[in-house]
Amino acid sequence: MRFATYEHHGRRSVATVDDDGTLHPFPGRASLLDLLRAGPAALHEASNATPDVPGGPHVSQVRLLPPLQPPSVRDFVTFEEHVEGVRRSIDNAAGVPDAWYDAPTFYFTNPYAVIGAHDDIPVPPGSSVLDFELEVAAVIGREGRDLTPEQARDHIIGYTIFNDWSARDLQSAEMKVGLGPCKGKDTAATLGPYLVTADELEPYRDTDGFLRLALTASVNGEVVGRDLLSNMSWTFEEMVAYASRGTYVRPGDVLGSGTCGNGGCLAELWGIRGRQDPPPLKHGDTVTLTVEGIGTVSNTVVPGAGPLPIPQARKRPRLRP
């Protein structure tokens, strides 16, 4: 089943989506996150009620919003090929750090920055090197803690496309401090077009437990990247298990796969080619990402706000009481 959140004539609704794109809105005004928090029975009851509701508009007639507003977003880095290329581009270093192989590393990114499948992307304040990142995200449907990978499968309600937009110039500067990216990843993150339930993607699962989905990225209609989701080095179940170690994953939490390889972002190609080819994204560029079994998102870059001035650090006298 596919779930969409959309805006139509000023009204926000949650709906199931037919194969032809017809929306069947849920009765009432509950959000998808509210339904996930209420438990599997509530979501099942709401989705079962949609056939009794007259068909709504077509997806082409509405503004698709993010399927849900996540309480948290963890972004992993599970594609070895991506690490190789981007590390060379951003850090001017070769290879993959040994520590990367030890565990599926992630950072927390901004849950307030999520946007819909076709919303415009403002250039982050102060940036001139904007990039996209093609990912798939798992969405948690049930609370859990200290899960095994086998247990984690039952806690994943579904999947969606995730574009982790990145201001590479800001990211490169701030990571020299020794912390993860912050303002380099803080302006926008696309989720959509739908939340596709996990059972819908089971036919794509290979014998190693990975989802073999074709991934395609294009800029202004020109394909720049192609990969398979099954090239991840950890499964989503292993990622959820690691995320739940010593803490909770809760309904609505989003866990990004990390950017795929073979052109899943521009920075990887820059690292491989030794130059910014293709160039950084500019005003008017449209990035389209397609994931087999889930759908397509397409966002256009627009001018953003300028940075408001913040002073540099002041040298302090280090007085003591």
Side-chain angles (χ1 to χ4, degrees), residues 199-317:
D199 61 297
E200 292 279 330
L201 298 183
E202 275 304 304
Y204 297 95
R205 195 175 293 277
D206 66 19
T207 56
D208 293 327
F210 292 87
L211 295 173
R212 186 181 172 89
L213 306 179
L215 314 173
T216 306
S218 66
V219 178
N220 300 328
E222 180 179 348
V223 174
V224 297
R226 294 186 187 274
D227 202 5
L228 287 171
L229 188 63
S230 51
N231 286 330
M232 295 165 61
S233 291
W234 289 273
T235 66
F236 281 104
E237 290 79 9
E238 290 162 345
M239 292 158 52
V240 172
Y242 186 67
S244 74
R245 184 182 294 178
T247 188
Y248 287 94
V249 290
R250 291 198 162 103
D253 287 352
V254 165
L255 286 76
S257 63
T259 307
C260 67
N262 196 38
C265 69
L266 299 178
E268 178 202 329
L269 299 175
W270 301 339
I272 293 170
R273 298 171 182 175
R275 61 187 187 280
Q276 287 189 343
D277 176 28
L281 299 171
K282 62 183 184 302
H283 305 162
D285 284 344
T286 297
V287 176
T288 302
L289 308 181
T290 299
V291 177
E292 184 179 11
I294 298 180
T296 297
V297 299
S298 189
N299 304 98
T300 298
V301 177
V302 297
L308 297 176
I310 299 293
Q312 288 188 321
R314 300 163 178 81
K315 287 289 188 180
R316 307 300 294 157

Side-chain angles (χ1 to χ4, degrees), residues 1-320:
M1 189 168 288
R2 293 180 294 173
F3 297 105
T5 300
Y6 66 95
E7 187 178 83
H8 187 57
H9 296 320
R11 180 185 175 93
R12 183 174 297 214
S13 302
V14 180
T16 57
V17 188
D18 282 350
D19 290 341
D20 66 0
T22 300
L23 294 160
H24 294 271
F26 289 179
R29 301 295 296 273
S31 70
L32 189 54
L33 179 58
D34 289 337
L35 291 167
L36 292 178
R37 284 173 167 167
L43 184 61
H44 183 71
E45 180 181 349
S47 57
N48 281 346
T50 58
D52 299 327
V53 177
H58 191 269
V59 292
S60 62
Q61 300 172 308
V62 304
R63 177 191 172 203
L64 285 173
L65 303 172
L68 77 165
Q69 290 292 327
S72 74
V73 182
R74 296 171 176 86
D75 198 11
F76 287 73
V77 54
T78 68
F79 289 85
E80 187 179 29
E81 187 175 12
H82 169 75
V83 177
E84 290 176 343
V86 170
R87 190 173 185 230
R88 188 180 299 117
S89 173
I90 293 179
D91 298 334
N92 197 28
V96 176
D98 290 341
W100 179 82
Y101 297 95
D102 294 336
T105 307
F106 66 89
Y107 73 98
F108 283 97
T109 190
N110 188 356
Y112 304 116
V114 295
I115 63 167
H118 305 292
D119 289 342
D120 290 338
I121 301 296
V123 174
S127 176
S128 60
V129 188
L130 182 61
D131 195 1
F132 67 89
E133 300 205 37
L134 170 52
E135 308 187 26
V136 172
V139 179
I140 299 298
R142 291 174 48 205
E143 181 177 292
R145 180 187 177 103
D146 290 314
L147 302 171
T148 66
E150 292 74 24
Q151 292 169 331
R153 180 168 297 188
D154 291 334
H155 291 256
I156 297 174
I157 186 64
Y159 300 88
T160 190
I161 298 174
F162 180 31
N163 187 344
D164 174 37
W165 299 87
S166 300
R168 296 300 188 191
D169 43 356
L170 304 185
Q171 178 188 1
S172 180
E174 66 197 7
M175 290 185 72
K176 289 180 172 65
V177 179
L179 296 175
C182 52
K183 283 299 174 186
K185 304 268 191 174
D186 211 27
T187 295
T190 304
L191 289 180
Y194 317 118
L195 173 65
V196 178
T197 54
D199 61 297
E200 292 279 330
L201 298 183
E202 275 304 304
Y204 297 95
R205 195 175 293 277
D206 66 19
T207 56
D208 293 327
F210 292 87
L211 295 173
R212 186 181 172 89
L213 306 179
L215 314 173
T216 306
S218 66
V219 178
N220 300 328
E222 180 179 348
V223 174
V224 297
R226 294 186 187 274
D227 202 5
L228 287 171
L229 188 63
S230 51
N231 286 330
M232 295 165 61
S233 291
W234 289 273
T235 66
F236 281 104
E237 290 79 9
E238 290 162 345
M239 292 158 52
V240 172
Y242 186 67
S244 74
R245 184 182 294 178
T247 188
Y248 287 94
V249 290
R250 291 198 162 103
D253 287 352
V254 165
L255 286 76
S257 63
T259 307
C260 67
N262 196 38
C265 69
L266 299 178
E268 178 202 329
L269 299 175
W270 301 339
I272 293 170
R273 298 171 182 175
R275 61 187 187 280
Q276 287 189 343
D277 176 28
L281 299 171
K282 62 183 184 302
H283 305 162
D285 284 344
T286 297
V287 176
T288 302
L289 308 181
T290 299
V291 177
E292 184 179 11
I294 298 180
T296 297
V297 299
S298 189
N299 304 98
T300 298
V301 177
V302 297
L308 297 176
I310 299 293
Q312 288 188 321
R314 300 163 178 81
K315 287 289 188 180
R316 307 300 294 157
R318 302 187 186 184
L319 302 175
R320 302 289 184 263

